[in-house]
Amino acid sequence: LTGYSPEECLADPSLMLTMAHPDDGWIMKDYLHTNQTPKEPLFMRWIGKDGQTRWMESRIVPVHDMNGKLIAVEGITRDITERKRFEEKLRESEAFIRNINNNLVSGMIYQALMKKDGSRKFTYFSDSVQRLYGITPQEGTENPSLIYDRVYEDDKARVAAEEEEANRNLTVFKTKTRMINPDGSIRWSSFVSNPTLWDDGTTCWD
């Protein structure tokens, strides 16, 4: 993990701190200062003997004497560099896709889930949901009613029936309905989403 032998680490107690990346050293020092067991793993970069930087995940438990004084630290550390690289590539990919999606001027892209019990939730919205419905993507994924309640009252039963039929037959859901704008005015909207059935019986609509 570090390029240093156990003998080198044992001979220099400060080596574990000096290996910390300059931007991350405070994490370990802050932990030692608070003298508490972290509820979550510690994530920090270590600079090895070869000069290479690696991401590490550490789970640490303090050991105290009878007077409550910190006398030792026990822990497990593992190299998560590849995982961090994958996460970074995933973030870049998601940002790229979101930038493309946000080029829609008068529409939005979304993903919705319908579970076997009929409950619904959204897992994704392009940023244009805020322009169309006055809510953020996060608000929409946390509360699906912020979208479903926008359907014009006289259209709700028809739209729900069309959605149920498309879910039952796993066919493309297509409908036109009146939606209530944030200012209370009415806008006609066209919805098109393609279903995929997951192993647990959930229907995913893109």
Side-chain angles (χ1 to χ4, degrees):
L1 293 182
T2 67
Y4 293 99
S5 68
E7 291 75 20
E8 287 176 294
C9 293
L10 291 171
D12 184 359
S14 67
L15 192 55
M16 297 297 287
L17 288 176
T18 58
M19 275 193 294
H21 189 280
D23 294 338
D24 296 349
W26 66 270
I27 297 175
M28 182 65 72
K29 292 177 181 178
D30 187 60
Y31 157 70
L32 292 174
H33 177 71
T34 57
N35 199 18
Q36 300 293 321
T37 301
K39 294 181 180 180
E40 302 293 336
L42 300 178
F43 297 97
M44 57 189 299
R45 289 162 292 181
W46 284 6
I47 301 176
K49 196 173 186 178
D50 59 2
Q52 296 296 312
T53 300
R54 297 174 177 85
W55 274 99
M56 301 293 181
E57 176 190 74
S58 299
R59 295 182 180 272
I60 299 175
V61 177
V63 180
H64 304 92
D65 63 14
M66 290 187 296
N67 297 319
K69 181 182 178 181
L70 179 69
I71 58 174
V73 172
E74 296 178 350
I76 297 174
T77 296
R78 65 190 182 109
D79 189 340
I80 59 167
T81 304
E82 287 304 313
R83 191 181 87 187
K84 281 290 186 179
R85 288 173 180 165
F86 175 79
E87 290 173 351
E88 181 61 28
K89 288 183 179 295
L90 184 61
R91 282 193 294 269
E92 292 175 355
S93 177
E94 290 175 344
F96 176 72
I97 292 172
R98 182 170 288 278
N99 286 336
I100 293 176
N101 293 347
N102 289 338
N103 284 327
L104 285 173
V105 177
S106 60
M108 68 175 184
I109 292 177
Y110 66 93
Q111 184 182 78
L113 303 183
M114 182 185 291
K115 297 184 178 180
K116 293 179 67 175
D117 61 6
S119 61
R120 303 168 174 84
K121 70 172 294 185
F122 292 97
T123 59
Y124 176 84
F125 284 105
S126 55
D127 291 346
S128 49
V129 68
Q130 186 153 17
R131 183 174 66 253
L132 296 174
Y133 298 109
I135 62 173
T136 65
Q138 181 178 348
E139 290 170 335
T141 56
E142 291 176 351
N143 186 0
S145 65
L146 294 177
I147 297 295
Y148 283 105
D149 288 351
R150 295 277 186 185
V151 178
Y152 192 67
E153 190 64 35
D154 292 347
D155 296 348
K156 284 184 177 180
R158 173 182 57 81
V159 172
E162 292 171 343
E163 188 181 45
E164 289 288 351
E165 181 181 1
N167 181 56
R168 185 170 56 253
N169 300 323
L170 285 180
T171 54
V172 174
F173 170 64
K174 297 180 67 174
T175 192
K176 291 182 175 64
T177 181
R178 288 166 289 185
M179 301 292 290
I180 303 174
N181 291 319
D183 63 3
S185 61
I186 303 298
R187 177 182 64 248
W188 276 96
S189 297
S190 172
F191 288 86
V192 181
S193 54
N194 190 50
T196 302
L197 184 64
W198 289 358
D199 292 339
D200 65 356
T202 298
T203 301
C204 176
W205 303 89
D206 293 313

